[in-house]
């Protein structure tokens, strides 16, 4: 229990907070650096830079979320003696990559619309700051072998970036709904997993 608390539950709580803080100060720093520049010109440059930040963000997503899924699948294979050792098969890597890609394609636009339009009006400069901040947190967690939620971190990073514009720039009602979904996800998943364990034959 101590290991789960320190390596799973604690990072799950602290990583969004860290994402918020880094996102806030990253945006403040960028605004300070380009305070005397034309905003339209700056956004044109950051529209191109966002290709880089989104790429790094996608890489960080794979280094953490995909690893968790591959680990669980491999653990199941080892448990059922389908694998002699805990080594992730190549087909599991490909399967997880394809599944994550298809999942993003299927429901990604709704999430993007909520994050980038409903919760706060994002421009390229804000997107760059949020993606860069989230990537820093996730890659750091991956380096130390800590599982975190990419969704939680990027959401809180966007909140931090938005808060740099002022407290009323973020629609906190939508934020409340998102946080509530975060809180409910854990116990609901635990209940479903427990029910499946008792229902399915072992």
């Amino acid at each position: 229990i101590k290991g789960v608390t320190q390596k799973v539950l604690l990072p799950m709580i602290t990583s969004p907070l860290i994402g918020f803080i880094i996102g806030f100060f990253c945006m403040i720093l960028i605004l300070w650096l380009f305070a005397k520049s034309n905003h339209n010109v700056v956004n044109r440059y950051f529209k191109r830079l966002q290709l880089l930040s989104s790429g790094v963000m996608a890489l960080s997503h794979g280094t953490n979320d995909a690893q968790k899924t591959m680990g669980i699948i491999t653990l199941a294979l080892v448990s059922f003696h389908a694998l002699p050792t805990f080594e992730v098969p190549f087909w599991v890597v490909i399967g997880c990559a394809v599944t994550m890609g298809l999942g993003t394609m299927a429901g990604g636009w709704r999430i993007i619309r909520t994050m980038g339009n409903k919760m706060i009006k994002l421009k390229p400069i804000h997107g760059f700051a949020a993606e860069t901040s989230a990537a820093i947190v996730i890659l750091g967690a991956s380096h130390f072998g800590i599982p975190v939620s990419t969704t939680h971190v990027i959401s809180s990073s966007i909140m931090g970036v938005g808060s740099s514009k002022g407290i009323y720039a973020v629609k906190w009602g939508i934020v409340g709904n998102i946080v509530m979904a975060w809180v409910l996800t854990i116990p609901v998943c635990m209940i479903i997993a427990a029910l499946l364990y008792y229902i399915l034959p072992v």
Side-chain angles (χ1 to χ4, degrees):
I1 296 176
K2 183 180 179 181
V4 173
T5 301
Q6 292 179 346
K7 294 184 178 180
V8 179
L9 295 180
L10 190 59
M12 192 180 298
I13 295 170
T14 56
S15 58
L17 297 175
I18 296 171
F20 182 95
I21 294 169
I22 294 179
F24 179 85
F25 285 105
C26 180
M27 192 67 236
I28 293 294
L29 176 62
I30 292 174
L31 291 175
W32 177 73
L33 290 173
F34 295 95
K36 297 181 180 180
S37 304
N38 183 285
H39 289 179
N40 292 327
V41 175
V42 169
N43 270 301
R44 279 203 299 270
Y45 280 108
F46 274 98
K47 190 174 183 178
R48 297 172 184 173
L49 286 172
Q50 224 184 332
L51 294 173
L52 176 62
S53 63
S54 61
V56 176
M57 176 69 201
L59 175 66
S60 69
H61 189 194
T63 63
N64 205 288
D65 282 45
Q67 306 304 311
K68 290 180 285 189
T69 308
M70 287 187 282
I72 292 170
I73 294 173
T74 305
L75 179 63
L77 292 171
V78 173
S79 300
F80 282 90
H81 306 290
L83 288 176
T85 58
F86 194 90
E87 294 182 8
V88 182
F90 183 69
W91 66 266
V92 173
V93 177
I94 296 298
C96 289
V98 171
T99 302
M100 289 181 68
L102 292 174
T104 303
M105 288 175 61
W109 282 111
R110 287 186 176 183
I111 299 172
I112 291 168
R113 198 174 295 114
T114 300
M115 294 290 111
N117 190 30
K118 293 182 179 180
M119 188 172 71
I120 176 180
K121 298 287 184 182
L122 288 180
K123 292 183 178 180
I125 190 171
H126 304 118
F128 174 86
E131 289 164 352
T132 302
S133 302
I136 290 171
V137 176
I138 298 167
L139 288 173
S142 299
H143 175 73
F144 291 105
I146 300 172
V148 296
S149 170
T150 297
T151 306
H152 291 186
V153 175
I154 186 60
S155 299
S156 61
S157 296
I158 292 173
M159 294 173 199
V161 168
S163 298
S164 69
K165 299 170 63 177
I167 191 169
Y168 296 108
V170 180
K171 295 180 181 178
W172 296 105
I174 295 176
V175 171
N177 293 335
I178 293 172
V179 173
M180 183 62 68
W182 292 354
V183 173
L184 291 176
T185 298
I186 299 173
V188 169
C189 288
M190 291 174 65
I191 292 170
I192 293 174
L195 289 173
L196 289 174
Y197 178 80
Y198 285 107
I199 292 172
L200 297 176
V202 179

